[in-house]
Amino acid sequence: MKRFVIKGLAGLVLLVICNASRPHRPGAAAVVKVVEAFPKLHFDYPVDLTHSNDGSNRLFVLEQEGTIRVFENAAATSSAKVFLDIKKLVSYGGEAGLLGLAFHPDYKNNGYFFLNYTTKVSGKLETAIVRYKASASDPNQADPASATVLFTFDQPFDNHNGGAVKFGKDGYLYISTGDGGSWGDPGNNGQNKSSWLGKILRVDVNSKTKGNYGIPADNPFAGNKEGFREEIYAYGLRNPWRISFDDATNTLWAGDVGQNKREEIDIIVKGGNYGWRLKESIDCYNPKRDCNAEGLIDPVLDLPQANGEHSVTGGFVYRGKAVSSLAGKYVFGDYVSGRLFALETQNGKAVQNSIIAEGVGQISAFGTDQSDELYICNYGTGKIMKLAQP
């Protein structure tokens, strides 16, 4: 997560990567306004926003302490109901808490959704990936007794928990995990293919070959004999706080939080090694020089922290209609600088990264509605923002 210095997500980092030869600069036609989407609503430490893709025109917001709220996607909406309250299960504070929500592709029929949260078991912190089901009698209420744990794994420290869950077009669930925390990945988890940490995981939630989930047959390490985690899809990440799919191109994007000097944006591919802790973005990190970069994938965008970005928040490729100049560009932000960016790419390479708004606030997450319009969670104010033409 980002390096938050206020109560809550202390340490959450959004990745913003610019080519070293292409410093970010203000855009021309792409500059946008950021306005309140729901002026009558307020949330406590919002860290994710999504929709259920069931035609209901509802949005769901995660509050880090352990609550999901649901409301009609209309500017005049004045109340957000509690969809699920699991505060008693969630270990909250700093970067820990209820961190990710994804609805099953067939949610309209099966009512399943999946959560990523931190909890404590016998005093030790762990991440839990859990399936819940909506109430059969009230679509705006989840059944708290329906919890089914897919898997858990230990968190050696309380920061760098990752936390995102997203479904791909392949129907599999993708999960982002941080390197386990502390400083500099002391356990070298990012490069350890036997560890859950510092990874993008991919699992089949419709299978039961591993208990309550299965391993996709084409996962990079499916069926391996070396003791590598079969759930791994990609590795070598420090703290991929927010990830997203661009369904138009079936591209998986990640904002990976930096260490000392650099933030980064990655395009995630199956089996990819993104370098941490050998590298921090485009720099050698451990060792400090002459690191072996063979086989490592560089970020699509490197953003030096010297420019003011210290906690990048991954966003979405814009496919909405409200701001046509952003079509096809990857929109992301930074929690510390409060800037919004639009990254233009071609054939998987950065063409131009532009600042499109300043002073947006503490950007903790982005989300989309069923029409692909983009929303921004402001962690500090508790408001949900949206983009508009200037």
Side-chain angles (χ1 to χ4, degrees):
M1 307 176 82
K2 306 189 172 305
R3 299 188 188 96
F4 295 170
V5 295
I6 59 174
K7 179 182 179 183
L9 297 174
L12 180 71
V13 178
L14 295 183
L15 303 181
V16 180
I17 304 174
C18 294
N19 287 345
S21 60
R22 299 179 186 273
H24 60 259
R25 61 178 175 81
V31 174
V32 301
K33 289 197 303 183
V34 180
V35 299
E36 286 191 26
F38 311 101
K40 297 178 182 179
L41 298 183
H42 174 273
F43 300 92
D44 294 328
Y45 310 117
V47 292
D48 203 6
L49 177 150
T50 190
H51 64 94
S52 51
N53 199 32
D54 59 358
S56 65
N57 195 39
R58 295 177 298 166
L59 290 176
F60 297 77
V61 168
L62 260 69
E63 296 175 317
Q64 188 191 358
E65 293 179 87
T67 307
I68 305 172
R69 294 190 177 271
V70 58
F71 56 97
E72 183 183 0
N73 182 10
T77 296
S78 59
S79 64
K81 297 180 179 179
V82 175
F83 183 67
L84 180 67
D85 184 341
I86 55 169
K87 289 181 180 178
K88 292 182 179 180
L89 300 176
V90 171
S91 178
Y92 157 74
E95 296 179 38
L98 177 57
L99 305 178
L101 163 67
F103 289 88
H104 192 284
D106 195 30
Y107 175 78
K108 187 173 182 179
N109 293 312
N110 63 28
Y112 290 149
F113 62 96
F114 297 80
L115 300 181
N116 183 331
Y117 63 84
T118 54
T119 187
K120 283 193 174 179
V121 177
S122 299
K124 294 184 177 181
L125 191 70
E126 64 181 33
T127 285
I129 308 300
V130 185
R131 185 189 75 202
Y132 280 86
K133 188 173 184 178
S135 167
S137 59
D138 183 354
N140 289 322
Q141 177 69 56
D143 179 3
S146 66
T148 299
V149 177
L150 274 64
F151 54 87
T152 65
F153 51 89
D154 291 342
Q155 292 287 355
F157 301 95
D158 62 2
N159 59 336
H160 302 181
N161 301 308
V165 281
K166 298 289 182 185
F167 277 97
K169 293 178 73 174
D170 53 16
Y172 298 136
L173 182 66
Y174 292 71
I175 302 146
S176 71
T177 73
D179 65 10
S182 187
W183 189 263
D185 192 9
N188 198 26
N189 291 314
Q191 294 299 313
N192 180 359
K193 295 188 286 292
S194 298
S195 170
W196 297 93
L197 302 171
K199 310 295 191 296
I200 303 295
L201 310 175
R202 181 173 73 155
V203 300
D204 183 354
V205 301
N206 299 316
S207 170
K208 292 188 177 296
T209 58
K210 297 277 286 186
N212 290 318
Y213 71 100
I215 302 297
D218 66 334
N219 268 16
F221 306 112
N224 79 89
K225 305 300 182 183
E226 289 85 3
F228 301 156
R229 292 238 61 100
E230 294 182 285
E231 294 85 354
I232 294 173
Y233 183 78
Y235 61 106
L237 297 157
R238 182 177 180 272
N239 190 25
W241 161 239
R242 300 288 83 170
I243 64 175
S244 69
F245 275 98
D246 176 22
D247 287 342
T249 61
N250 199 30
T251 302
L252 177 57
W253 293 79
D256 194 12
V257 176
Q259 178 71 55
N260 299 325
K261 295 181 179 180
R262 321 195 79 90
E263 306 293 314
E264 67 180 90
I265 300 293
D266 296 305
I267 292 177
I268 303 296
V269 298
K270 183 170 62 177
N273 181 354
Y274 292 84
W276 178 251
R277 67 180 182 176
L278 286 167
K279 296 182 73 177
E280 178 190 10
S281 187
I282 60 174
D283 287 349
C284 287
Y285 179 78
N286 188 351
K288 293 295 184 184
R289 62 185 64 185
D290 300 324
C291 54
N292 181 8
E294 183 179 356
L296 304 183
I297 299 175
D298 279 340
V300 67
L301 186 66
D302 167 75
L303 189 60
Q305 293 179 358
N307 290 337
E309 279 62 60
H310 292 274
S311 182
V312 67
T313 299
F316 285 77
V317 173
Y318 186 73
R319 299 295 180 186
K321 296 180 179 179
V323 187
S324 59
S325 59
L326 295 180
K329 297 178 182 180
Y330 180 72
V331 178
F332 66 97
D334 189 87
Y335 178 88
V336 173
S337 73
R339 291 175 177 145
L340 280 186
F341 298 86
L343 171 63
E344 183 179 355
T345 59
Q346 188 172 13
N347 299 320
K349 304 294 183 181
V351 174
Q352 182 61 55
N353 186 45
S354 300
I355 300 171
I356 58 172
E358 301 256 16
V360 178
Q362 296 162 335
I363 305 167
S364 57
F366 294 82
T368 59
D369 63 17
Q370 203 159 304
S371 298
D372 294 320
E373 290 302 336
L374 189 64
Y375 298 85
I376 303 161
C377 296
N378 187 319
Y379 187 82
T381 65
K383 304 299 289 187
I384 306 301
M385 317 299 289
K386 67 178 182 180
L387 307 180
Q389 294 284 7

